[in-house]
Amino acid sequence: MTVAKLPLRKKIALNLFKKYKQNETRIHNLNYILWECTLKCNLNCIHCGSDCKKDSSVKEMPAEDFLKAIDQIKEIVNPNKTMIVLTGGEALVRKDIESIGVSLYKRGFPWGIVTNGMLLTKQKLHSLLNSGLRSITVSLDGLENSHNWLRGNKNSFKNATNAIKLLPPIEDIKYDVVTCVNRKNFNELTQIKNLLINMGISHWRLFTIFPIGRAKENTDLQLSPSEFKALFDFIKQTRKEKDIDVSYGCEGYLGNYENEVRDGFFFCRAGINIASILADGSISACPNLRSNFIQGNIYKNNFADLWQNEYKLFRDRSWTKTGECANCKSYDFCQGNGLHLRDEKTGELLFCHLKRIEEGEKATCT
């Protein structure tokens, strides 16, 4: 059976899930906010979508400005069920991250960070935990040489693995390790898996690198079609083994791999449950959605008003049914893929997961 052809039970489940997505879109309950708290970074990653730099020209947003925007949404969300995640850049380069965390904790919001691990020492982690930290994501992008190649720093692998080892003993915190799969680390996946299992890691997420930012022109970052398909076979098999909870990231409709390489079916929740505040105060959905996806700015608009009354292009995605999506038989389940994979100016799809897997199937058969 090809990836696009679904067994009857899965087709029924996806049709039911389509109705669930429609209801979620109608309600659009905001429960996940990402704050691009800095564009400064202590690494120079070749796949960076934000094109962050060590000395960013965009000044860090004062914490009080961000907190003012958060206070505006308190009336329309349940703070205890609304996660706020600090990202960047590298979130830990901010000197005031603990005080920000305490301020969020006092307001009732659980908060977390995404980090490359360079600055995450045992002392720093405990300081963050004492400030209310509830979730953390650390990147590990291969064995030593391939990880350091991607991250542009000879000490990155060492620091990242030292940081990762700190996580399993910590109670009452959600964590995972994420890996950006590319041509350099593709053949290391089994070794990376075993490394994480030996470190006691229970949750591992795999991503493929989409063609924006610095990643757009680097062919080493894009898997071949056969490798792309093989990645999902690897995830599917690893999930069956149950030695580590592995899943593919939230992007991309995957046809018959749906509900087999991650928990649940594909749903791009950008602008439906997810919002972001970017470094310059712009308000969008996930931080990768800029340009025409910007809905306003915290320095000009009320965050709650925007969430309630704008975000129309996120909640009515009929505009995505163009180009190769126009006549796609899987469109009802996919709805044009993740919005971050569409050209921000033209709206055309930049990358189709299902098509790439189908190409991989053909390559395997020849």
Side-chain angles (χ1 to χ4, degrees):
M1 180 176 290
T2 64
V3 68
K5 189 172 182 180
L6 304 173
L8 180 59
R9 290 181 64 181
K10 186 166 289 186
K11 186 178 289 187
I12 292 171
L14 279 163
N15 276 307
L16 290 171
F17 190 71
K18 178 184 173 183
K19 294 180 180 179
Y20 165 77
K21 289 195 291 185
Q22 291 171 343
N23 189 56
E24 285 287 286
T25 302
R26 180 181 59 82
I27 297 170
H28 53 264
N29 178 39
L30 177 60
N31 55 32
Y32 201 89
I33 301 169
L34 295 115
W35 178 29
E36 189 180 59
C37 65
T38 183
L39 286 181
K40 294 179 180 178
C41 189
N42 49 8
L43 292 178
N44 187 34
C45 305
I46 63 175
H47 69 309
C48 182
S50 300
D51 198 23
C52 301
K53 299 176 181 178
K54 198 168 187 177
D55 296 312
S56 172
S57 59
V58 179
K59 293 183 179 180
E60 288 180 348
M61 181 189 298
E64 55 267 26
D65 295 353
F66 169 71
L67 293 169
K68 181 180 178 181
I70 293 301
D71 288 337
Q72 291 171 351
I73 64 157
K74 287 182 67 176
E75 299 302 317
I76 67 168
V77 304
N78 180 346
N80 297 150
K81 296 181 179 180
T82 305
M83 172 63 71
I84 297 178
V85 176
L86 278 58
T87 182
E90 169 53 41
L92 291 184
V93 302
R94 280 197 72 123
K95 304 298 183 184
D96 57 351
I97 194 166
E98 284 91 349
S99 65
I100 293 168
V102 170
S103 296
L104 291 172
Y105 179 81
K106 289 179 178 178
R107 287 166 167 79
F109 289 95
W111 67 280
I113 60 169
V114 177
T115 177
N116 58 37
M118 288 290 289
L119 300 175
L120 190 65
T121 62
K122 184 175 182 180
Q123 181 180 4
K124 185 66 173 179
L125 178 57
H126 285 181
S127 177
L128 294 168
L129 291 168
N130 289 335
S131 303
L133 182 74
R134 288 295 172 265
S135 77
I136 185 167
T137 294
V138 183
S139 295
L140 183 69
D141 296 310
L143 301 181
E144 187 165 8
N145 288 338
S146 55
H147 175 94
N148 290 344
W149 166 79
L150 191 72
R151 295 287 168 174
N153 187 296
K154 65 180 181 179
N155 296 316
S156 181
F157 178 83
K158 178 183 68 176
N159 287 22
T161 51
N162 286 341
I164 289 167
K165 291 174 185 177
L166 299 173
L167 303 179
I170 305 296
E171 297 180 359
D172 301 324
I173 187 172
K174 293 181 66 175
Y175 74 85
D176 63 0
V177 174
V178 298
T179 299
C180 290
V181 184
N182 57 76
R183 304 202 78 176
K184 292 279 190 179
N185 66 16
F186 175 76
N187 291 321
E188 299 174 350
L189 289 175
T190 298
Q191 293 168 279
I192 299 168
K193 176 189 71 174
N194 292 334
L195 174 65
L196 294 175
I197 291 171
N198 290 336
M199 289 193 287
I201 295 300
S202 56
H203 292 81
W204 184 29
R205 268 188 301 156
L206 301 178
F207 288 88
T208 42
I209 300 171
F210 41 91
I212 65 172
R214 298 178 194 166
K216 192 172 184 178
E217 306 300 330
N218 194 324
T219 56
D220 281 335
L221 298 177
Q222 303 296 316
L223 297 179
S224 70
S226 58
E227 290 169 336
F228 196 73
K229 180 188 180 300
L231 170 64
F232 298 110
D233 291 329
F234 169 81
I235 296 173
K236 184 177 177 179
Q237 178 59 36
T238 302
R239 286 171 69 89
K240 288 180 180 178
E241 295 166 0
K242 297 183 178 181
D243 293 322
I244 188 169
D245 185 353
V246 62
S247 64
Y248 186 62
C250 59
E251 65 181 37
Y253 171 72
L254 306 174
N256 202 23
Y257 285 108
E258 286 294 318
N259 206 33
E260 296 184 4
V261 296
R262 58 188 166 210
D263 299 332
F265 298 113
F266 169 64
F267 185 7
C268 176
R269 294 179 179 270
I272 296 172
N273 306 113
I274 300 172
S276 69
I277 297 177
L278 305 183
D280 64 354
S282 295
I283 296 172
S284 184
C286 77
N288 289 313
L289 293 169
R290 293 170 136 83
S291 190
N292 291 340
F293 290 104
I294 300 297
Q295 300 298 293
N297 194 288
I298 65 167
Y299 294 111
K300 297 178 181 179
N301 308 101
N302 181 283
F303 190 8
D305 288 345
L306 287 178
W307 181 259
Q308 296 287 62
N309 301 309
E310 299 297 330
Y311 284 86
K312 294 178 177 59
L313 58 78
F314 295 92
R315 296 166 191 169
D316 178 3
R317 303 194 183 183
S318 57
W319 60 270
T320 65
K321 198 171 174 62
T322 60
E324 63 182 290
C325 295
N327 299 308
C328 180
K329 294 179 180 179
S330 299
Y331 181 84
D332 282 352
F333 303 142
C334 178
Q335 291 188 303
N337 213 330
L339 292 185
H340 68 283
L341 292 170
R342 305 196 78 89
D343 187 283
E344 294 178 342
K345 295 181 180 179
T346 68
E348 291 299 316
L349 185 63
L350 298 171
F351 187 89
C352 174
H353 288 68
L354 189 63
K355 183 178 179 181
R356 182 60 64 91
I357 297 171
E358 288 178 318
E359 291 171 354
E361 287 179 329
K362 292 177 182 177
T364 303
C365 293
T366 57

